[in-house]
Amino acid sequence: MSITEAAAQLDELVRRLAGSRGPIALTDGGRVTALLAAPQVIEDLEDSSAVAGHRRRKAEGTLGEGIPRAEVRRILGLRP
């Protein structure tokens, strides 16, 4: 979809994203220049990236000490 078309239909596109996992590609001159995606898709990508980074640092032996589980539970307001 062209940027011009997307601008004219932005409210509809936002509603469509709310019920979808797939992105909407925006084009300029026939080339994809941006993607619109639901927040959950971005959050999932960030989570996957963090896990991959952790695994890489673990494999390299460059992981820091980390945070004790009890401290994480306290920060999150969970019972010990």
Side-chain angles (χ1 to χ4, degrees):
M1 166 176 296
S2 74
I3 295 170
T4 305
E5 292 171 309
Q9 302 175 37
L10 187 58
D11 57 341
E12 178 187 333
L13 293 176
V14 170
R15 285 188 199 90
R16 188 164 55 169
L17 282 172
S20 170
R21 301 276 306 164
I24 297 171
L26 302 183
T27 61
D28 187 18
R31 289 185 43 234
V32 175
T33 56
L35 296 172
L36 296 177
Q40 187 61 48
V41 171
I42 303 303
E43 291 168 7
D44 290 349
L45 287 171
E46 289 171 341
D47 290 347
S48 295
S49 177
V51 168
H54 174 82
R55 288 180 177 154
R56 179 185 48 79
R57 290 188 307 278
K58 184 176 181 180
E60 293 170 346
T62 59
L63 271 181
E65 272 186 43
I67 302 172
R69 183 181 182 144
E71 179 66 8
V72 171
R73 293 186 68 76
R74 185 192 66 74
I75 291 169
L76 296 174
L78 302 172
R79 287 189 237 154

